[in-house]
Amino acid sequence: MKKIIFSALLAGLVLVSCKKEMKEIGAPASKVEGITASWELSQAVQIDERSLTRESYNLTRYFQKKGKLPNISFGENTYTVDTAGLSFNFFGGPSGTWAFDDAAAPSSITFTPTGGSPFTLKLGGPIRPQDNLKITREVAETCKNDKGPKVTYSFVLTFTRK
């Protein structure tokens, strides 16, 4: 019995004494390089933000029925959108400028359509050259008994690189 306990303690010490080797992960990927591309909508989900369970509805089929999925192209600080034939443009206009809230670790993008007012969309994940683009557009409304506008519903849009 003493040999088993001694062997177990020895094995435990060997495992505890092992150090994991630290690996170099390199420089962080450029977020501007990550977003600079042409993107096509792959999924659109509408979420009821006032519902207790945040009920959602997948709107992707609506866009597919129109025969064309919305797409957006980002340049270094400009964007263009192709939503011809669709009744709703999530980006306010066919073109404009964009900017991250924080270039090193962005959490939102501010769009300024040409001739329009700026608005901000939240990012739903990292922006690296290998990632999909996930953004959220919140819609705030004032409902009865509300003191001010509250987010009523949101659109979560997922884009893939072309």
Side-chain angles (χ1 to χ4, degrees), residues 10-153:
L10 185 61
L13 286 174
V14 169
L15 289 175
V16 171
S17 67
C18 294
K19 265 188 161 177
K20 288 189 176 182
E21 189 178 320
M22 299 297 274
K23 294 183 180 179
E24 188 67 35
I25 59 172
S30 167
K31 309 312 184 239
V32 174
E33 285 179 22
I35 200 168
T36 304
S38 293
W39 302 85
E40 184 175 61
L41 183 73
S42 59
Q43 184 179 36
V45 176
Q46 182 179 0
I47 299 172
D48 181 356
E49 298 291 348
R50 295 180 67 102
S51 166
L52 232 39
T53 59
R54 292 187 71 221
E55 296 172 17
S56 63
Y57 179 74
N58 190 333
L59 298 169
T60 311
R61 288 188 333 197
Y62 166 77
F63 294 108
Q64 290 171 337
K65 282 182 184 177
K66 297 287 185 176
K68 182 178 180 188
L69 292 171
N71 61 64
I72 184 167
S73 295
F74 287 95
E76 196 165 313
N77 66 351
T78 60
Y79 73 93
T80 57
V81 180
D82 183 8
T83 55
L86 297 175
S87 56
F88 192 76
N89 183 351
F90 293 102
F91 303 99
S95 64
T97 59
W98 66 273
F100 286 132
D101 61 333
D102 178 1
S107 63
S108 64
I109 304 174
T110 299
F111 290 88
T112 306
T114 304
S117 300
F119 61 92
T120 301
L121 301 179
K122 291 181 180 180
L123 288 170
I127 301 295
R128 298 175 299 188
Q130 67 269 26
D131 295 322
N132 290 334
L133 173 63
K134 193 171 197 176
I135 55 177
T136 301
R137 181 168 186 148
E138 296 178 334
V139 179
E141 295 177 347
T142 303
C143 297
K144 189 176 182 179
N145 300 328
D146 284 347
K147 294 183 179 175
K150 290 185 180 177
V151 175
T152 306
Y153 58 95

